Amino acid sequence: MIDFNMPGPPIKAEFPAFFRSNSRHFCNKIMGANMEHNFSCKCAAFLISLMAVAVTGVLGLPQPEQKPEAESFKFSIQSQLVEVFVTVTRGKQPVPNLRASDFQITEDGNPVPIDRLDSREVPLQIALLVDTSESVRESLKTIQDAAAAFVESLNSEDRVMLVLFNSDILAFPQTTERRESILKEIRNAKARGMTRLHDALLFGMKYLDGKSGRKAIVCFTDGEDTAGTVSRAAVLNAAARSGYPIYAIGAGAGLGLSRLQMILRDFAEINGGKAFFIQSLRKLRQAFAEAASELRSAYVLNYYTKIPPDGRWHELSVTTNNPAFTVNARKGFFAKNPVNPH
């Protein structure tokens, strides 16, 4: 609220001595009791001011010009932060220490300014999804060793939530720097039931929503979803809206089906993640290590889009100043839905 002092001549009025000498008497009559001297003085001042208004009205003394109160306006500016996960490699080696000025982003073909660059100094927030369905029983020990090695390879500032999925989904978030409880749950995992791959991916996205840091999902499975409650299309849509990269590791007999490879590749590519296909589980630890290396060197480019909320998909393209670098990045984003004016 802003108060405006309205211009106008000061009001002056002379009052008979009767009013001045009997102000305390009037105060006492109004309040119904004898008042302290300082309060009655204030009351007298109030009465005199009140009478001044009446007298000026009666005598026709000049009144301040009353201007209409200015109409107030409220402006609401809604902006959408777009987070673009990016990895940069030269050959097979990650390229570290790049700055915001080394990147260019286009949005529907139009260049946009980068507001902030998050690099390896910003901790990771990882949702680690591990398939523990009945089909991995014979290879469970190998899977446990690879997943534990991945957790131990993260920096102390990084945070990980373990999700074990089969017919159920069990989640174990890391709440302190110590990871012993996470490692214990990996070691205690039992193989049973079916595969809720889609539900586990959605669970990981919801967990990462609102978290700070560079966010990503790392998921191991040996087969397609067999017990989920949501479709593959729904997961892809949610992934495109969240922007979190998915590092999908597929291994075992399920890779004999080209459909599983296509599904995992779709999950990975939408946001600049990566799909790994391991025929032999002996190479599983290597795949986890490669995913960890990419995540540690990953960048997140942050900018505020000027696109109005239209609820539509908008293409993104990320390049660097060096043509020898290979850039893998988020492919696009959905703008916010239009705001309902009613």
PDB file of all heavy atoms in Angstrom, residues 197-198 201 221 223-225 232 235-236 246 248 257-269 275 277:
ATOM      1  N   LEU A 197       9.087 -51.906 -13.885  1.00  0.00           N
ATOM      2  CA  LEU A 197      10.071 -50.958 -14.409  1.00  0.00           C
ATOM      3  C   LEU A 197       9.474 -49.562 -14.570  1.00  0.00           C
ATOM      4  O   LEU A 197      10.076 -48.566 -14.147  1.00  0.00           O
ATOM      5  CB  LEU A 197      10.610 -51.466 -15.751  1.00  0.00           C
ATOM      6  CG  LEU A 197      11.525 -50.508 -16.528  1.00  0.00           C
ATOM      7  CD1 LEU A 197      12.783 -50.182 -15.729  1.00  0.00           C
ATOM      8  CD2 LEU A 197      11.878 -51.094 -17.899  1.00  0.00           C
ATOM      9  N   HIS A 198       8.307 -49.459 -15.183  1.00  0.00           N
ATOM     10  CA  HIS A 198       7.711 -48.145 -15.444  1.00  0.00           C
ATOM     11  C   HIS A 198       7.378 -47.411 -14.141  1.00  0.00           C
ATOM     12  O   HIS A 198       7.650 -46.209 -14.001  1.00  0.00           O
ATOM     13  CB  HIS A 198       6.445 -48.301 -16.290  1.00  0.00           C
ATOM     14  CG  HIS A 198       6.709 -48.837 -17.657  1.00  0.00           C
ATOM     15  ND1 HIS A 198       5.706 -49.279 -18.495  1.00  0.00           N
ATOM     16  CD2 HIS A 198       7.870 -49.009 -18.342  1.00  0.00           C
ATOM     17  CE1 HIS A 198       6.230 -49.700 -19.630  1.00  0.00           C
ATOM     18  NE2 HIS A 198       7.539 -49.548 -19.567  1.00  0.00           N
ATOM     19  N   LEU A 201      10.554 -46.030 -12.550  1.00  0.00           N
ATOM     20  CA  LEU A 201      11.048 -44.814 -13.204  1.00  0.00           C
ATOM     21  C   LEU A 201      10.238 -43.588 -12.787  1.00  0.00           C
ATOM     22  O   LEU A 201      10.804 -42.525 -12.493  1.00  0.00           O
ATOM     23  CB  LEU A 201      11.013 -44.988 -14.723  1.00  0.00           C
ATOM     24  CG  LEU A 201      12.086 -45.918 -15.314  1.00  0.00           C
ATOM     25  CD1 LEU A 201      11.751 -46.283 -16.757  1.00  0.00           C
ATOM     26  CD2 LEU A 201      13.462 -45.268 -15.242  1.00  0.00           C
ATOM     27  N   THR A 221      18.047 -53.061 -15.416  1.00  0.00           N
ATOM     28  CA  THR A 221      16.994 -54.064 -15.555  1.00  0.00           C
ATOM     29  C   THR A 221      17.450 -55.161 -16.511  1.00  0.00           C
ATOM     30  O   THR A 221      18.320 -54.933 -17.364  1.00  0.00           O
ATOM     31  CB  THR A 221      15.681 -53.440 -16.062  1.00  0.00           C
ATOM     32  OG1 THR A 221      14.647 -54.423 -16.051  1.00  0.00           O
ATOM     33  CG2 THR A 221      15.843 -52.898 -17.477  1.00  0.00           C
ATOM     34  N   GLY A 223      14.938 -56.920 -18.134  1.00  0.00           N
ATOM     35  CA  GLY A 223      13.795 -57.230 -18.986  1.00  0.00           C
ATOM     36  C   GLY A 223      12.780 -56.102 -19.003  1.00  0.00           C
ATOM     37  O   GLY A 223      12.919 -55.080 -18.319  1.00  0.00           O
ATOM     38  N   GLU A 224      11.747 -56.300 -19.800  1.00  0.00           N
ATOM     39  CA  GLU A 224      10.684 -55.300 -19.933  1.00  0.00           C
ATOM     40  C   GLU A 224       9.795 -55.261 -18.698  1.00  0.00           C
ATOM     41  O   GLU A 224       9.853 -56.151 -17.833  1.00  0.00           O
ATOM     42  CB  GLU A 224       9.812 -55.629 -21.150  1.00  0.00           C
ATOM     43  CG  GLU A 224      10.504 -55.504 -22.484  1.00  0.00           C
ATOM     44  CD  GLU A 224       9.544 -55.769 -23.631  1.00  0.00           C
ATOM     45  OE1 GLU A 224       8.460 -55.122 -23.650  1.00  0.00           O
ATOM     46  OE2 GLU A 224       9.844 -56.610 -24.491  1.00  0.00           O
ATOM     47  N   ASP A 225       8.973 -54.241 -18.646  1.00  0.00           N
ATOM     48  CA  ASP A 225       7.990 -54.121 -17.582  1.00  0.00           C
ATOM     49  C   ASP A 225       6.960 -55.243 -17.709  1.00  0.00           C
ATOM     50  O   ASP A 225       6.402 -55.472 -18.786  1.00  0.00           O
ATOM     51  CB  ASP A 225       7.300 -52.756 -17.676  1.00  0.00           C
ATOM     52  CG  ASP A 225       6.371 -52.501 -16.505  1.00  0.00           C
ATOM     53  OD1 ASP A 225       5.292 -53.121 -16.444  1.00  0.00           O
ATOM     54  OD2 ASP A 225       6.732 -51.666 -15.656  1.00  0.00           O
ATOM     55  N   ARG A 232       4.342 -47.312 -21.134  1.00  0.00           N
ATOM     56  CA  ARG A 232       5.635 -46.776 -21.576  1.00  0.00           C
ATOM     57  C   ARG A 232       5.478 -45.348 -22.083  1.00  0.00           C
ATOM     58  O   ARG A 232       6.321 -44.485 -21.811  1.00  0.00           O
ATOM     59  CB  ARG A 232       6.197 -47.669 -22.678  1.00  0.00           C
ATOM     60  CG  ARG A 232       7.383 -47.097 -23.431  1.00  0.00           C
ATOM     61  CD  ARG A 232       7.961 -48.146 -24.379  1.00  0.00           C
ATOM     62  NE  ARG A 232       8.767 -47.531 -25.415  1.00  0.00           N
ATOM     63  CZ  ARG A 232       8.336 -47.286 -26.652  1.00  0.00           C
ATOM     64  NH1 ARG A 232       7.103 -47.600 -26.994  1.00  0.00           N
ATOM     65  NH2 ARG A 232       9.124 -46.742 -27.552  1.00  0.00           N
ATOM     66  N   VAL A 235       5.416 -42.898 -19.248  1.00  0.00           N
ATOM     67  CA  VAL A 235       6.749 -42.688 -18.664  1.00  0.00           C
ATOM     68  C   VAL A 235       7.573 -41.760 -19.544  1.00  0.00           C
ATOM     69  O   VAL A 235       8.257 -40.854 -19.054  1.00  0.00           O
ATOM     70  CB  VAL A 235       7.474 -44.033 -18.467  1.00  0.00           C
ATOM     71  CG1 VAL A 235       8.891 -43.803 -17.948  1.00  0.00           C
ATOM     72  CG2 VAL A 235       6.707 -44.913 -17.501  1.00  0.00           C
ATOM     73  N   LEU A 236       7.511 -41.949 -20.848  1.00  0.00           N
ATOM     74  CA  LEU A 236       8.239 -41.079 -21.762  1.00  0.00           C
ATOM     75  C   LEU A 236       7.741 -39.636 -21.659  1.00  0.00           C
ATOM     76  O   LEU A 236       8.536 -38.686 -21.689  1.00  0.00           O
ATOM     77  CB  LEU A 236       8.095 -41.580 -23.198  1.00  0.00           C
ATOM     78  CG  LEU A 236       8.965 -42.783 -23.586  1.00  0.00           C
ATOM     79  CD1 LEU A 236       8.569 -43.297 -24.977  1.00  0.00           C
ATOM     80  CD2 LEU A 236      10.441 -42.409 -23.574  1.00  0.00           C
ATOM     81  N   ILE A 246      18.162 -40.197 -17.971  1.00  0.00           N
ATOM     82  CA  ILE A 246      18.066 -41.587 -17.523  1.00  0.00           C
ATOM     83  C   ILE A 246      19.235 -42.355 -18.111  1.00  0.00           C
ATOM     84  O   ILE A 246      19.417 -42.395 -19.339  1.00  0.00           O
ATOM     85  CB  ILE A 246      16.734 -42.223 -17.958  1.00  0.00           C
ATOM     86  CG1 ILE A 246      15.557 -41.470 -17.331  1.00  0.00           C
ATOM     87  CG2 ILE A 246      16.689 -43.700 -17.579  1.00  0.00           C
ATOM     88  CD1 ILE A 246      14.197 -41.924 -17.831  1.00  0.00           C
ATOM     89  N   ALA A 248      20.191 -45.884 -18.569  1.00  0.00           N
ATOM     90  CA  ALA A 248      19.545 -47.194 -18.544  1.00  0.00           C
ATOM     91  C   ALA A 248      20.551 -48.285 -18.886  1.00  0.00           C
ATOM     92  O   ALA A 248      21.187 -48.238 -19.944  1.00  0.00           O
ATOM     93  CB  ALA A 248      18.377 -47.220 -19.529  1.00  0.00           C
ATOM     94  N   LEU A 257      15.786 -59.550 -27.007  1.00  0.00           N
ATOM     95  CA  LEU A 257      14.606 -58.940 -27.621  1.00  0.00           C
ATOM     96  C   LEU A 257      14.942 -57.510 -28.025  1.00  0.00           C
ATOM     97  O   LEU A 257      15.305 -56.682 -27.190  1.00  0.00           O
ATOM     98  CB  LEU A 257      13.437 -58.940 -26.637  1.00  0.00           C
ATOM     99  CG  LEU A 257      13.003 -60.316 -26.101  1.00  0.00           C
ATOM    100  CD1 LEU A 257      11.933 -60.147 -25.037  1.00  0.00           C
ATOM    101  CD2 LEU A 257      12.494 -61.185 -27.242  1.00  0.00           C
ATOM    102  N   SER A 258      14.867 -57.203 -29.294  1.00  0.00           N
ATOM    103  CA  SER A 258      15.195 -55.860 -29.773  1.00  0.00           C
ATOM    104  C   SER A 258      14.257 -54.812 -29.169  1.00  0.00           C
ATOM    105  O   SER A 258      14.622 -53.641 -29.051  1.00  0.00           O
ATOM    106  CB  SER A 258      15.133 -55.806 -31.302  1.00  0.00           C
ATOM    107  OG  SER A 258      13.830 -56.165 -31.752  1.00  0.00           O
ATOM    108  N   ARG A 259      13.059 -55.234 -28.763  1.00  0.00           N
ATOM    109  CA  ARG A 259      12.088 -54.307 -28.185  1.00  0.00           C
ATOM    110  C   ARG A 259      12.635 -53.691 -26.893  1.00  0.00           C
ATOM    111  O   ARG A 259      12.464 -52.499 -26.652  1.00  0.00           O
ATOM    112  CB  ARG A 259      10.774 -55.036 -27.927  1.00  0.00           C
ATOM    113  CG  ARG A 259       9.730 -54.183 -27.214  1.00  0.00           C
ATOM    114  CD  ARG A 259       8.433 -54.972 -27.031  1.00  0.00           C
ATOM    115  NE  ARG A 259       7.545 -54.294 -26.097  1.00  0.00           N
ATOM    116  CZ  ARG A 259       6.736 -53.311 -26.439  1.00  0.00           C
ATOM    117  NH1 ARG A 259       6.711 -52.877 -27.697  1.00  0.00           N
ATOM    118  NH2 ARG A 259       5.938 -52.752 -25.540  1.00  0.00           N
ATOM    119  N   LEU A 260      13.275 -54.488 -26.041  1.00  0.00           N
ATOM    120  CA  LEU A 260      13.815 -53.964 -24.789  1.00  0.00           C
ATOM    121  C   LEU A 260      14.892 -52.920 -25.066  1.00  0.00           C
ATOM    122  O   LEU A 260      14.921 -51.864 -24.420  1.00  0.00           O
ATOM    123  CB  LEU A 260      14.399 -55.091 -23.939  1.00  0.00           C
ATOM    124  CG  LEU A 260      15.089 -54.639 -22.645  1.00  0.00           C
ATOM    125  CD1 LEU A 260      14.120 -53.908 -21.731  1.00  0.00           C
ATOM    126  CD2 LEU A 260      15.726 -55.834 -21.923  1.00  0.00           C
ATOM    127  N   GLN A 261      15.749 -53.178 -26.023  1.00  0.00           N
ATOM    128  CA  GLN A 261      16.784 -52.201 -26.364  1.00  0.00           C
ATOM    129  C   GLN A 261      16.155 -50.898 -26.862  1.00  0.00           C
ATOM    130  O   GLN A 261      16.600 -49.800 -26.508  1.00  0.00           O
ATOM    131  CB  GLN A 261      17.726 -52.771 -27.420  1.00  0.00           C
ATOM    132  CG  GLN A 261      18.545 -53.957 -26.929  1.00  0.00           C
ATOM    133  CD  GLN A 261      19.671 -54.321 -27.879  1.00  0.00           C
ATOM    134  OE1 GLN A 261      20.229 -53.449 -28.547  1.00  0.00           O
ATOM    135  NE2 GLN A 261      20.002 -55.602 -27.952  1.00  0.00           N
ATOM    136  N   MET A 262      15.115 -51.007 -27.671  1.00  0.00           N
ATOM    137  CA  MET A 262      14.450 -49.809 -28.180  1.00  0.00           C
ATOM    138  C   MET A 262      13.830 -49.016 -27.025  1.00  0.00           C
ATOM    139  O   MET A 262      13.934 -47.780 -26.975  1.00  0.00           O
ATOM    140  CB  MET A 262      13.362 -50.202 -29.178  1.00  0.00           C
ATOM    141  CG  MET A 262      12.567 -49.024 -29.733  1.00  0.00           C
ATOM    142  SD  MET A 262      11.137 -49.561 -30.709  1.00  0.00           S
ATOM    143  CE  MET A 262      10.102 -50.283 -29.434  1.00  0.00           C
ATOM    144  N   ILE A 263      13.195 -49.713 -26.069  1.00  0.00           N
ATOM    145  CA  ILE A 263      12.552 -49.036 -24.937  1.00  0.00           C
ATOM    146  C   ILE A 263      13.582 -48.305 -24.096  1.00  0.00           C
ATOM    147  O   ILE A 263      13.411 -47.122 -23.753  1.00  0.00           O
ATOM    148  CB  ILE A 263      11.773 -50.065 -24.088  1.00  0.00           C
ATOM    149  CG1 ILE A 263      10.553 -50.576 -24.856  1.00  0.00           C
ATOM    150  CG2 ILE A 263      11.348 -49.444 -22.747  1.00  0.00           C
ATOM    151  CD1 ILE A 263       9.847 -51.737 -24.181  1.00  0.00           C
ATOM    152  N   LEU A 264      14.661 -48.971 -23.756  1.00  0.00           N
ATOM    153  CA  LEU A 264      15.684 -48.343 -22.910  1.00  0.00           C
ATOM    154  C   LEU A 264      16.354 -47.174 -23.626  1.00  0.00           C
ATOM    155  O   LEU A 264      16.684 -46.156 -23.008  1.00  0.00           O
ATOM    156  CB  LEU A 264      16.720 -49.381 -22.485  1.00  0.00           C
ATOM    157  CG  LEU A 264      16.201 -50.527 -21.595  1.00  0.00           C
ATOM    158  CD1 LEU A 264      17.351 -51.452 -21.205  1.00  0.00           C
ATOM    159  CD2 LEU A 264      15.500 -49.986 -20.357  1.00  0.00           C
ATOM    160  N   ARG A 265      16.558 -47.317 -24.929  1.00  0.00           N
ATOM    161  CA  ARG A 265      17.170 -46.227 -25.699  1.00  0.00           C
ATOM    162  C   ARG A 265      16.245 -45.006 -25.727  1.00  0.00           C
ATOM    163  O   ARG A 265      16.705 -43.864 -25.601  1.00  0.00           O
ATOM    164  CB  ARG A 265      17.497 -46.702 -27.113  1.00  0.00           C
ATOM    165  CG  ARG A 265      18.353 -45.717 -27.903  1.00  0.00           C
ATOM    166  CD  ARG A 265      18.730 -46.277 -29.258  1.00  0.00           C
ATOM    167  NE  ARG A 265      19.731 -47.336 -29.158  1.00  0.00           N
ATOM    168  CZ  ARG A 265      19.500 -48.619 -29.420  1.00  0.00           C
ATOM    169  NH1 ARG A 265      18.284 -49.020 -29.793  1.00  0.00           N
ATOM    170  NH2 ARG A 265      20.458 -49.509 -29.315  1.00  0.00           N
ATOM    171  N   ASP A 266      14.949 -45.236 -25.871  1.00  0.00           N
ATOM    172  CA  ASP A 266      14.002 -44.119 -25.868  1.00  0.00           C
ATOM    173  C   ASP A 266      14.020 -43.389 -24.522  1.00  0.00           C
ATOM    174  O   ASP A 266      13.997 -42.153 -24.466  1.00  0.00           O
ATOM    175  CB  ASP A 266      12.581 -44.621 -26.153  1.00  0.00           C
ATOM    176  CG  ASP A 266      12.365 -44.999 -27.616  1.00  0.00           C
ATOM    177  OD1 ASP A 266      13.213 -44.616 -28.453  1.00  0.00           O
ATOM    178  OD2 ASP A 266      11.357 -45.667 -27.912  1.00  0.00           O
ATOM    179  N   PHE A 267      14.032 -44.157 -23.441  1.00  0.00           N
ATOM    180  CA  PHE A 267      14.087 -43.550 -22.116  1.00  0.00           C
ATOM    181  C   PHE A 267      15.344 -42.705 -21.949  1.00  0.00           C
ATOM    182  O   PHE A 267      15.309 -41.618 -21.357  1.00  0.00           O
ATOM    183  CB  PHE A 267      14.066 -44.631 -21.030  1.00  0.00           C
ATOM    184  CG  PHE A 267      12.735 -45.304 -20.845  1.00  0.00           C
ATOM    185  CD1 PHE A 267      12.660 -46.595 -20.346  1.00  0.00           C
ATOM    186  CD2 PHE A 267      11.551 -44.658 -21.164  1.00  0.00           C
ATOM    187  CE1 PHE A 267      11.438 -47.221 -20.160  1.00  0.00           C
ATOM    188  CE2 PHE A 267      10.320 -45.276 -20.996  1.00  0.00           C
ATOM    189  CZ  PHE A 267      10.260 -46.566 -20.493  1.00  0.00           C
ATOM    190  N   ALA A 268      16.464 -43.199 -22.458  1.00  0.00           N
ATOM    191  CA  ALA A 268      17.747 -42.532 -22.249  1.00  0.00           C
ATOM    192  C   ALA A 268      17.906 -41.280 -23.112  1.00  0.00           C
ATOM    193  O   ALA A 268      18.401 -40.253 -22.636  1.00  0.00           O
ATOM    194  CB  ALA A 268      18.894 -43.497 -22.530  1.00  0.00           C
ATOM    195  N   GLU A 269      17.484 -41.343 -24.347  1.00  0.00           N
ATOM    196  CA  GLU A 269      17.830 -40.276 -25.296  1.00  0.00           C
ATOM    197  C   GLU A 269      17.013 -38.999 -25.118  1.00  0.00           C
ATOM    198  O   GLU A 269      17.478 -37.920 -25.497  1.00  0.00           O
ATOM    199  CB  GLU A 269      17.669 -40.794 -26.734  1.00  0.00           C
ATOM    200  CG  GLU A 269      18.726 -41.818 -27.117  1.00  0.00           C
ATOM    201  CD  GLU A 269      18.573 -42.310 -28.554  1.00  0.00           C
ATOM    202  OE1 GLU A 269      17.540 -41.960 -29.183  1.00  0.00           O
ATOM    203  OE2 GLU A 269      19.473 -43.022 -29.027  1.00  0.00           O
ATOM    204  N   ALA A 275      22.108 -45.228 -22.897  1.00  0.00           N
ATOM    205  CA  ALA A 275      21.697 -46.624 -22.727  1.00  0.00           C
ATOM    206  C   ALA A 275      22.915 -47.531 -22.890  1.00  0.00           C
ATOM    207  O   ALA A 275      23.718 -47.350 -23.813  1.00  0.00           O
ATOM    208  CB  ALA A 275      20.617 -46.996 -23.739  1.00  0.00           C
ATOM    209  N   PHE A 277      24.044 -51.643 -23.091  1.00  0.00           N
ATOM    210  CA  PHE A 277      23.538 -53.004 -23.299  1.00  0.00           C
ATOM    211  C   PHE A 277      24.680 -53.980 -23.067  1.00  0.00           C
ATOM    212  O   PHE A 277      25.662 -54.003 -23.817  1.00  0.00           O
ATOM    213  CB  PHE A 277      22.956 -53.148 -24.698  1.00  0.00           C
ATOM    214  CG  PHE A 277      21.868 -52.137 -24.991  1.00  0.00           C
ATOM    215  CD1 PHE A 277      22.016 -51.197 -26.000  1.00  0.00           C
ATOM    216  CD2 PHE A 277      20.704 -52.114 -24.239  1.00  0.00           C
ATOM    217  CE1 PHE A 277      21.031 -50.270 -26.253  1.00  0.00           C
ATOM    218  CE2 PHE A 277      19.715 -51.180 -24.490  1.00  0.00           C
ATOM    219  CZ  PHE A 277      19.875 -50.264 -25.501  1.00  0.00           C
TER     220      PHE A 277
END
